[in-house]
Amino acid sequence: MRKEDTVKLISAEGFEFVVHKDAAMVSQTIRNMLTSPGSFAETEHGEVTFPEISTTILEKICKYFYWNLQFARF
């Protein structure tokens, strides 16, 4: 997987989840952060920091993204 195909999601504790960009784009909020016009840090670096979301919750969110990609379209 190439770096351009991934997004780094960072929890409040600083734990980093590297997920496929297609999976992260399941979230409309993350999609807007990564594709918004302008030179925002999220767009330039492919990283989104969530200072209010714990590692445990962000892990569940990442699992949901992959579940959604695999099963929600059917």
Side-chain angles (χ1 to χ4, degrees):
M1 191 172 352
R2 297 183 331 216
K3 187 175 189 280
E4 303 86 39
D5 296 336
T6 62
V7 176
K8 189 183 298 184
L9 306 178
I10 306 169
S11 71
E13 296 87 8
F15 194 88
E16 299 176 351
F17 294 90
V18 178
V19 298
H20 198 275
K21 191 175 261 186
D22 290 342
M25 294 294 194
V26 166
S27 165
Q28 189 64 44
T29 301
I30 295 174
R31 179 189 308 261
N32 290 340
M33 289 176 164
L34 295 174
T35 60
S36 61
S39 57
F40 294 105
E42 292 89 357
T43 305
E44 290 180 11
H45 303 296
E47 294 181 3
V48 181
T49 302
F50 296 98
E52 306 275 329
I53 300 178
S54 70
T55 300
T56 306
I57 300 301
L58 191 54
E59 179 181 17
K60 294 290 184 190
I61 291 168
C62 292
K63 287 180 181 181
Y64 169 76
F65 290 162
Y66 283 104
W67 178 89
N68 186 287
L69 275 181
Q70 188 172 3
F71 298 109
R73 295 183 184 154
F74 298 107

